[in-house]
Amino acid sequence: MDFQVVVLAGGSSKNLTPLVSKELPKPLLPVANRPVLSYVLHQLEQNNLKDLIVVVEGEDTALVVGAWISGTFIDRLHVEIAAVPEDIGTAGAIRAISHHLTAKDILVVSGDLVSDVPPGAVAATHRRHDAAVTAMLSSIPVSGPLDSGSSGGKDKAKKLGRYNIIGLDPGKQFLLHIATGAEIEKDARLPKRILRAVGQMEIRSDLMDAHMYAFKRSVLQEVLDLKDTFQSLKEDVLPYLVRSQLKSEALSNRTPQGEENGNEKVTSQNNQVFVSRILANSSTPSFHDHSSENPDGSASTRKTHKCCVYIASSGSYCVRLNSIQAFMDINRDVTGEADHLLTGTSSDPNNNIGPSPKLGTKTTVGPHCMLGEGSEIGDKCQVKRSVIGRHCRIGSHVKVVNSVVMNHVTIGDGCIIQGSVVCSNVQLQERVVLKDCQVGAGFVVTAGSEYKAESLARKEK
Amino acid sequence: MGAQKKGATARVSEDQEELARNPLQAILLADSFATTFRPITLERPKVLLPLVNIPMIDYTLAWLESAGVEEVFVFCCAHSKQVIDYLESSQWSSQPNFSVTTIESHNSISAGDALRLIYERNVIHGDFVLISGDTMSNMSLTQVLQEHKERRKKDANAIMTMVIKKSKPSPITQQSRLGTDELFMAINPVTKQLLCYEDKAERSKGFISLDKTLIADNPSIILHNDKQDCYIDVCSQEVLSLFTDNFDYQHLRRHFVKGLLVDDIMGYKIFTHEIHSSYAARIDNFRSYDTISKDIIQRWTYPFVPDILCGSSAIKVERQGAYRASDVTLSRSAHIGSFTFIGQGTKIGNDTKISHSVVGEGCTIGSNVTIEGSYIWNNVTIEDGCQLRHAIVCDGVIMRSGAVLQPGVILSFKVVVGQQFVVPAYSKVSLLQQPTQQDSDEELEYADNTSGTGELRSDKLNGDIATDLSETAYELGTGGVGYIWSVFEGAQDEEWKHSVAPIPTDKLVKLMLDKDEDEEQLTQDGNVLSASGELKADSDDNGSEDDDNADSRDDYGFFEKEVEATFLRAVHENVKVDHAVLEVNALRLSYNMASVDCAGAIFYSMMKLAVESPHHSASELHRNAADIITKWQKLLKSFLHDIDEEIEVILKFEEMCLESAKEFAALFPQVLHLLYDKEILQEDAILRWADEKEGADESDKVFLKSSEKFVQWLKEAEEEDEDD
């Protein structure tokens, strides 16, 4: 397949402090004890998309991520690592690596996507329609009410539930309208022009743009060249392409003036075509052809391009790791209901316990838990719906519920950890109580302290 | 609906009781409250106009009867006597199980009034079908009634179900088929609830606006451009009382439907029912008259087709859709083409060709006549050699030999067209003069179509009445009788849209391209965040379409516009300065602007007025400006409280000189001086402006340089003052 894949892996992420650090950039955040990036790479490998460019922010990150990839996927994927400056946005990142792009079509995937939607299907849809861009849409995930049981949390989830306003054609193949970002909060304004061409448009507010796009390379590069203010693929490039799909500038190299002149000329030539079509009263096969037909079939001045969608089936799993909440949710889901994402590891379907954990007496590890290799748990502990990394030492009478504990963490006797994230090399002394907290790497929590909904991290420098 | 708490069984039995008690009722509006069929409707009500030789109302009543309606209330207003007489003499007055009751009104001016009147009569006792007498259909009402009832059981607010039908999704097909404007509807695909109804391009030209709450409430909404409103509604009783409650509802769609959709307090809901295989359409204008006539001839409306409706009167359908009554006298050499109807007792001469047309009863058509796509009603005489293309010819018309009707001509009752006379395309000819004053009701509803009435009429129509035969004869050739109605200037372009004649191809293309270009502008506006200054909002109306993040800027643009309008009104109507100040202040508050903005906007309006009033030379322009400034200085001054505001005025003036009113560029120092003389600007303001500009770019200092002398003079004067 002549597809090049760009994985936008990012680097540090403000949303995820204190979880990410220099040593542990976002792409390597563990989800069920595997770096989040591995899920995307695994999916790509499965779909035989093996020509990859992984874009990360910052040279340091590039080194760390590169080392991990070459260690893990050597000989299995052809990966280039490209470092780009921070804060140039997704479009900026693509612009920066534009000269590396050579294939006919480019698949852009966000590195924080944890999904079982086959990228190959998106690529195939893209090819089938010969589209300029194909976006993958998924149903909005029902964010976990488990850890936010209060009614307030529910309201919030409902409010956050609106990600995009998306207009589709009746066949649900073409993307006719997309509103992102701030536009969502306003009244929707839908262009009549596209509506006229298509006849009916379905407006959906229950779909999410999952940040997996297939672009035609020429279109992508041209848009990025033309519109040098575009920062984000999601908020600038995609809406632009959708908006201009019936009069594409991206495919024609003319200056606007030339195009206008051309248009006028064609007007008279086109009369015959218009008229014959009108009189025949024929329904056009697809609305894109509607505007693109031309008498001689060549030198088309009214260019159109297609914006397609691939809608993931409602049962599929598709979440982006872009907040701490999402991090928790994904960890819980991947060990729980979406455990099919963990291919090749598991022995027990309910309990992903590594090969050599040592459990003390009367310690129970509930279903949907994961214990990394070399971790030891003392007596009379309880672990429920949690992920515990490698080489952790957990004392006795410890309760870990709905939490993520990374590697090399030491937890003293009698600790209670609920709904929290504990990063690597953290030391929790005796009788620490954490509820809905995040503890940054290397932090030491003194004995007996209690925290609720706090973010604990070492002072940098 | 107080019985909701009762058990399910009780409710079912009650429903059955209810059904048994209430026969299905229908309200038929035998008046469309529109003027689209003038001049014909001046003499005969629209519902009695023949459609393939049978009055329209017969089709509607026949359908209602077959659909199981038992009681029809026919509301008559215009020509009510004719309608009542017709119904009394027709078969409908003596049908078993189908009663037709007429309700007469002389002062109703809209559908809203009609429904209010019917509410007062208290004759409707349950769900009813609401249609107008010009609706053709053959759909079955069973399903839609059942859906409506079931919805009502679940939700008492579901008070109306609209019937819609798929049409082709192109602005051209809508225009070319029924001559209607394009219609946008938003419907929830699951519940079929109607969420938005927009039949005319309203405030947002290139965009449909959907309220965000709608989107929040409905995860999926389907926006339709490919549906046609059939104007058949199943309504609950509440609809009538709603019309009474909202006494300003006039139009069924424009006011009632939209009113309900917008109103979220009462929470009334409208639902849609789509029909797929049945026929339903409304005759709204001449174009739909043409289209629906053809549909009837081609039997889309079966069983409501002429040969069945007329019963035994022996109309035969021959091949290729030629309908012929039994006693037609037809010359051997006459050629009757396909899809043509020839009525009883009509005589047709040698070598006459008729195709795609309807010829009524008792007509006499001579030799060598060509009739194509035309509708000829009863007792028409067409002499030898006439040519008719896409025309409507009413009862009793006489066309002398060799007369020609160009496409789109309407000849009303008893018009006589003189020998060899060519009636120009789209003419409307009547024995009655064009009414000089449109009725107020039509203004109300169709203000957009009839605006600009009186003054555009040619003088001769205002002259002496029909006695002046020589003049009328002149209008329609020798021996002709009738007035050719003039077309209002604004409507001239519109004429082809609603005419019986097919839309000329160049118009179609134009129509299509127009729509496109509209959009083009808009999309460009949306794309390019141009450095549009505030003046842009003035120069074109698309300012509002600018991207939303230019909101505040737009606001200022609107504000400026409003101020300008206020100012111009003050100038033209001689409003007192104090009042103008009040008005501008009110605007300032409502737009949440500072008085700096007011000063800027007022000054801008004044200068714009000066530029726009006629002038030939710079000095005249200067004088204009001086006049205006002198006259309105008080208005301006009342917003100039401190130096900052005065500086704003100078800056504004600079901006104008650069952008919208370049003519002032040369006059800059003079006007500045003038403003100083009139004590609108203090010298401090000018000097501070000069100081500020000192450090600016070279290009920015053009005006400073041109007024250098004046500034210099001011400075010296100041120094002198200090010396004193």
Side-chain angles (χ1 to χ4, degrees), chain A residues 31-192:
Chain A
V31 170
N33 290 339
R34 289 163 48 174
V36 60
L37 189 59
S38 71
Y39 291 88
V40 168
L41 297 185
H42 186 75
Q43 281 286 337
L44 291 170
E45 189 195 359
Q46 295 263 303
N47 285 273
N48 208 21
L49 292 160
K50 294 187 174 175
D51 190 7
L52 270 64
I53 301 175
V54 175
V55 183
V56 291
E57 290 178 346
E59 296 285 345
D60 302 344
T61 322
L63 284 178
V64 185
V65 175
W68 172 76
I69 291 177
S70 54
T72 320
F73 285 91
I74 190 151
D75 294 338
R76 286 158 65 194
L77 293 172
H78 174 254
V79 181
E80 279 177 64
I81 307 282
V84 296
E86 288 181 25
D87 296 331
I88 56 172
T90 47
I94 302 274
R95 201 177 282 128
I97 59 147
S98 178
H99 55 280
H100 289 299
L101 303 176
T102 50
K104 181 165 170 278
D105 292 293
I106 311 292
L107 187 72
V108 180
V109 189
S110 174
D112 58 7
L113 188 68
V114 178
S115 159
D116 56 3
V117 179
V122 179
T125 307
H126 181 69
R127 275 288 162 80
R128 190 164 61 237
H129 291 293
D130 191 26
V133 59
T134 303
M136 197 260 272
L137 305 176
S138 69
S139 318
I140 287 171
V142 187
S143 64
L146 265 177
D147 34 11
S148 55
S150 63
S151 60
K154 245 181 188 171
D155 279 354
K156 204 179 162 195
K158 201 181 167 190
K159 212 174 166 189
L160 286 172
R162 293 172 57 216
Y163 289 84
N164 292 110
I165 294 168
I166 285 161
L168 301 171
D169 79 312
K172 301 197 198 317
Q173 288 182 326
F174 298 113
L175 184 59
L176 307 176
H177 177 80
I178 186 161
T180 52
E183 284 176 59
I184 296 172
E185 291 309 315
K186 297 190 181 134
D187 292 354
R189 282 159 27 109
L190 301 144
K192 286 183 183 170

Side-chain angles (χ1 to χ4, degrees), chain B residues 392-431:
Chain B
I392 293 179
V393 178
C394 296
D395 293 3
V397 167
I398 299 171
M399 284 178 70
R400 300 281 178 219
S401 55
V404 175
L405 301 187
Q406 288 187 342
V409 168
I410 312 292
L411 296 185
S412 188
F413 299 93
K414 292 181 183 145
V415 163
V416 180
V417 181
Q419 262 182 16
Q420 310 288 341
F421 187 78
V422 178
V423 184
Y426 305 120
S427 312
K428 294 178 177 171
V429 186
S430 170
L431 284 189

